[in-house]
Amino acid sequence: DVKVTQSSRYLVKRTGEKVFLECVQDMDHENMFWYRQDPGLGLRLIYFSYDVKMKEKGDIPEGYSVSREKKERFSLILESASTNQTSMYLCASSFSRESVYNEQFFGPGTRLTVL
Amino acid sequence: AQSVAQPEDQVNVAEGNPLTVKCTYSVSGNPYLFWYVQYPNRGLQFLLKYITGDNLVKGSYGFEAEFNKSQTSFHLKKPSALVSDSALYFCAVRARPGTYKYIFGTGTRLKVLA
């Protein structure tokens, strides 16, 4: 089974702090994603990576950056955390952009609270 | 613009009754359609997908979904609901080919009453 792990289940940070969220997948997937999940808004894509060192902005990239130095690891960085970034953050991976086996596999999520 | 809609925030159904969770979409070209389920304090789990072929797709845990091109719908169904089916359900669509982005609906909370 594909396993996607996230470094923390719960995180509490203060406004202005730099925050790192880590995600690791163990199935050699090419694609990795970061979403945030908010009630009534569903999942919104923050950033996407289709290869090492490659990234593309999603729908809501403002205030975030990402890093993918190794294929299995995709990090989300909040440069200066703000209270409106309090949310559930979900990491996901999928096999390949062109493959028919393109469902996403999700991590358990990190619930971030910014005070 | 591409979009996906889940018109019901919550669906209540009695245990043993059939359930339907609705999803409609708007994309250019042929869609790739997905259903995911999220149990409390968990990430999303893949249930089933429609890529091409038979309009009735069977998935995990006894769920199935029917693709209806004329109505641009992909409703999730199960003949007999279980209390353990209570969860948050998300519909998602990916336009083909070569598009990496998924559009998720806002989610429908299914509550199965004993």
Side-chain angles (χ1 to χ4, degrees), chain A residues 2 5 12 21-22 45 54 59-60 62 74 81-82 113-114:
Chain A
V2 175
T5 57
V12 179
L21 302 182
E22 303 283 339
L45 181 65
M54 305 303 291
D59 298 318
I60 52 165
E62 296 78 19
F74 192 35
S82 63
T113 302
V114 183

Side-chain angles (χ1 to χ4, degrees), chain B residues 23-25 67-75:
Chain B
C23 173
T24 59
Y25 65 91
F67 171 65
N68 188 317
K69 189 172 183 178
S70 63
Q71 297 186 3
T72 61
S73 67
F74 189 55
H75 300 332

Side-chain angles (χ1 to χ4, degrees), chain A residues 9 37 59 102-104, chain B residues 36 38 41 49 101-102:
Chain A
R9 293 299 304 272
Q37 179 182 6
D59 298 318
N102 50 11
E103 61 266 28
Q104 295 188 352
Chain B
Y36 291 86
Q38 185 179 35
N41 299 314
K49 65 182 176 184
K101 289 176 68 173
Y102 294 74

Side-chain angles (χ1 to χ4, degrees), chain B residues 48 56-60 62-66 75-79:
Chain B
L48 50 80
L56 185 64
V57 178
K58 294 189 183 296
S60 305
F63 284 93
E64 58 189 28
E66 185 169 12
H75 300 332
L76 182 70
K77 299 181 179 184
K78 188 174 182 181

Side-chain angles (χ1 to χ4, degrees), chain A residues 65-112:
Chain A
S65 62
V66 291
S67 172
R68 192 166 180 202
E69 298 295 320
K70 294 184 178 181
K71 191 174 185 179
E72 67 271 18
R73 188 179 297 268
F74 192 35
S75 302
L76 179 70
I77 303 152
L78 286 67
E79 298 291 343
S80 178
S82 63
T83 54
N84 63 12
Q85 292 178 310
T86 291
S87 186
M88 170 71 89
Y89 289 88
L90 294 171
C91 175
S93 69
S94 68
F95 181 62
S96 165
R97 183 183 349 194
E98 300 302 331
S99 171
V100 296
Y101 301 106
N102 50 11
E103 61 266 28
Q104 295 188 352
F105 296 84
F106 285 81
T110 296
R111 187 167 295 281
L112 173 67

